[in-house]
Structures are given as structure tokens and as C-alpha cells.
Amino acid sequence: MADSPHNISINQKAYKVAELLHDTPDVDVFKFKAEDGYRLKFDPGMFVMLTYSNPDTKEKITRAFSIASEPEGDTVDFFIHMIHGRITSKLETAQVGSVYYLTGPYGQFKFKPEEDRKVLFIAGGTGLAPFMSMLKYIRKLKSGTDVVLLYSIRFPNEIIRKEELEQLEKDIGMKMVITVTRQENSEGWNGEKGHIDDAMISKYTPDIMDRTTYICGPLPFVKAMKDSLAKLKVPNEKIKADVWG
Ligand SMILES: Cc1cc2nc3c(=O)[nH]c(=O)nc-3n(C[C@H](O)[C@H](O)[C@H](O)COP(=O)(O)OP(=O)(O)OC[C@H]3O[C@@H](n4cnc5c(N)ncnc54)[C@H](O)[C@@H]3O)c2cc1C
């Protein structure tokens, strides 16, 4: 079978950047639409493989990104930490209309509201992405899920989609706790400070044993969260984690 343009595999679908937001100093929000109007089907929590393809050199770079939008939404959204690596440096020059290729969805980190009535979501940085998808889904379904969100960032200006999150907090009645881990530039911050640990988890979820805990973020973060939950004697089968690295 003939290759599609740029030697892209037939499983990959072309998506255009429909909207691009420089949301925090380090994180850009990308909203994609399939060129052929296809609506990606996925469960909240899943990820896709995103490929950059250089039309001239045929160079291709592929990385995983968690979907931050809700199932059946108008766009497929990502929160991307712009670290100037191989793919993120290519995404720096993206504009509305730029084309990338997606395959998927993939992953077992899935939230099923009918299975988990009470949850604790623990997010580190852009690890908020799959939870944003889950929270929007909870609102869409009016599932009445009892949610506590613990969200760790370094500085107060790093809250991704701050207004959307605050709206979700009201709409679904979740308890949202944002903690800032660095002292610098955090004057005026009245929320939690310091890393999430067993004491902070107990403080906000005294009923932790009744909840399923979902964790997402980079490897050291996920490891630290699992250690904290182990101190609280939370059984492994009540913990789901998505590790990025
Ligand atoms: C399942 C899954 C889901 C993911 N979802 C997301 C997501 O939603 N959003 C997102 O931003 N990323 C996500 N990632 C990470 C993403 O796949 C890439 O690894 C990331 O974007 C870096 O790719 P790159 O090609 O730009 O960097 P690379 O060229 O691969 O790496 C560049 C260099 O930067 C270093 N580096 C890596 N991370 C950081 C960092 N945070 N700060 C400083 N230096 C760093 C690396 O060690 C490496 O040396 C996910 C990963 C997985 C496995």
C-alpha cells in the first residue's frame, strides 16, 4: 500500500492545531482537530503517540502525550511542558494550522466512574492532563463522583487552566488542594506549601481507605506518592499510576 504524505504509517491520522495557548510560563496547551473530521474515541486517562514529521528531511519524532480533553469533545487537547527537547523544540514553532500525526489511544490508566465512586487524584505538574479529562467527564456524565484533587506545582503561576479548574471545582463539588513546592516567587500564596506527603494526604483524605487513588506525573513524583501511600497502608490494588519517564 502506498505511503501517506511524509512517509507516515497508515495507522497515523493527520491532525491540525486548532488552538494554541501559552498557558503558564512552561506549559502550552495544544488543541487538535483531525483533518478528516474524525472524532477520537478514548477513556479519560489514556494517551496518544504524537509524531512530528519534517516534510523536507522526512525526520520523524514520536512521543507520548496524555489527553487532557473530555471524550467526545470538539478537540483533542494536550498540556505540553516545553522543555526544548527533541519534540518539544519542534512544537515551539507550531501555529494554528500546523499538522502533526496521532496514533492511539493507548494505556490502562483509565477512569471508570461506575467503578470508582470515591477517588483521590494526585497530579504533579503537567500530570494534571489526564485528570482534566476525567474531571470534565465527571461533569459531563453528572456521575456524582466524590473527588479530592491534590495538585503539586513549583510556583503559583504554574496552575494549568486555572479558571477552568476553578469552574470544575464548583461544578462537580470537588475538594481541590494546590500545593506550591518552592518558596521563591510565592508571596501572596495562601494555599498549601511543600511536597505532598503522607501527612498532607491524611489531612485532606481522612477516608483514604475508601477511595481509589490515581497518580500521574514524572517517575520521582509517582515514586514519592506511592511511598507516602504505603506509609498510610493503602493497599496496592487501590492505587493506579501513570508514569512519564
Ligand atoms: C504515557 C506518557 C504520557 C505523557 N504525557 C505527557 C503530557 O501530557 N505532557 C508532557 O509535557 N509530557 C508528557 N509525557 C512526556 C513526553 O512523552 C516527552 O517525553 C516529553 O515531551 C519530552 O520529549 P522531548 O522529545 O521534547 O524531549 P527529549 O529530547 O526526549 O528529552 C530532552 C532532555 O530533557 C530532559 N528532560 C525530560 N523531561 C524534562 C523536564 N521535565 N525538565 C527538564 N528536562 C527534562 C531529558 O532527560 C532529556 O535529556 C508523557 C510521557 C508518557 C510516557
Side-chain angles (χ1 to χ4, degrees), residues 83-118:
I83 60 165
H84 201 66
R86 283 196 65 210
I87 207 161
T88 43
S89 58
K90 303 298 180 195
L91 289 163
E92 284 165 11
T93 55
Q95 296 172 345
V96 169
S98 298
V99 175
Y100 295 84
Y101 298 85
L102 302 187
T103 53
Y106 304 106
Q108 294 308 312
F109 188 71
K110 296 179 196 173
F111 167 67
K112 300 231 161 101
E114 64 282 9
E115 288 171 14
D116 295 325
R117 305 293 307 154
K118 290 181 82 169

Side-chain angles (χ1 to χ4, degrees), residues 47 61 63-66 79-81 83-89 126 129 242-245:
F47 67 92
I61 309 165
R63 294 285 184 273
F65 291 100
S66 293
F79 299 161
I80 302 190
H81 192 184
I83 60 165
H84 201 66
R86 283 196 65 210
I87 207 161
T88 43
S89 58
T126 41
D242 204 24
V243 188
W244 296 358

Side-chain angles (χ1 to χ4, degrees), residues 197-208 232:
D197 59 8
D198 52 321
M200 200 185 288
I201 294 171
S202 294
K203 179 174 169 188
Y204 292 105
T205 53
D207 55 354
I208 181 72
L232 295 172

Side-chain angles (χ1 to χ4, degrees), residues 126-170:
T126 41
L128 180 70
F131 297 123
M132 192 61 120
S133 177
M134 295 176 191
L135 295 171
K136 289 183 169 181
Y137 193 54
I138 288 168
R139 177 169 62 190
K140 187 178 215 162
L141 294 187
K142 298 190 175 70
S143 64
T145 312
D146 177 333
V147 183
V148 177
L149 170 67
L150 293 184
Y151 175 26
S152 178
I153 49 177
R154 293 172 306 169
F155 305 111
N157 64 355
E158 290 185 342
I159 305 172
I160 303 169
R161 307 306 293 143
K162 185 169 185 285
E163 273 140 44
E164 258 187 83
L165 263 184
E166 287 169 352
Q167 190 61 50
L168 278 161
E169 183 184 19
K170 287 193 200 119

